[in-house]
Amino acid sequence: MSYRIIYNETPARPEETARRDTTWTEEFAHEHQALGRARELLETGEHHSVAVCDHSGNELHGVRLQLKLGGFSGD
């Protein structure tokens, strides 16, 4: 099963928004790898939007993603 992380760069200054509004995607074979990478991205504070899509295409973001990263089941 594959998992996908989608995240955006956060511009350092508002005037840089158009130049750096880039979306990145990474693929992982296992859920724990995807969640680990999502946690890493969030902890750096350099990305304002991080989502994880599971093998069924369900997108985990916001509170649901935080619960998963914290070890709680959102279901």
Side-chain angles (χ1 to χ4, degrees), residues 14-26:
E15 60 271 16
E16 293 181 10
T17 301
R19 255 188 330 135
R20 293 186 59 200
D21 190 19
T22 305
T23 301
W24 298 91
T25 303
E26 295 181 27

Side-chain angles (χ1 to χ4, degrees), residues 5-11 20-25 41 45-51:
I5 294 184
I6 304 161
Y7 57 97
N8 294 331
E9 291 184 0
T10 301
R20 293 186 59 200
D21 190 19
T22 305
T23 301
W24 298 91
T25 303
L41 291 168
E46 295 177 8
H47 302 90
H48 69 277
S49 176
V50 177

Side-chain angles (χ1 to χ4, degrees), residues 28-67:
F28 296 89
H30 303 285
E31 182 182 37
H32 72 275
Q33 294 170 323
L35 293 174
R37 178 64 173 142
R39 178 178 287 117
E40 180 182 300
L41 291 168
L42 290 169
E43 287 176 350
T44 65
E46 295 177 8
H47 302 90
H48 69 277
S49 176
V50 177
V52 176
C53 296
D54 66 13
H55 60 278
S56 299
N58 298 320
E59 186 174 308
L60 305 175
H61 54 86
V63 173
R64 288 179 63 206
L65 178 57
Q66 289 177 351
L67 289 172

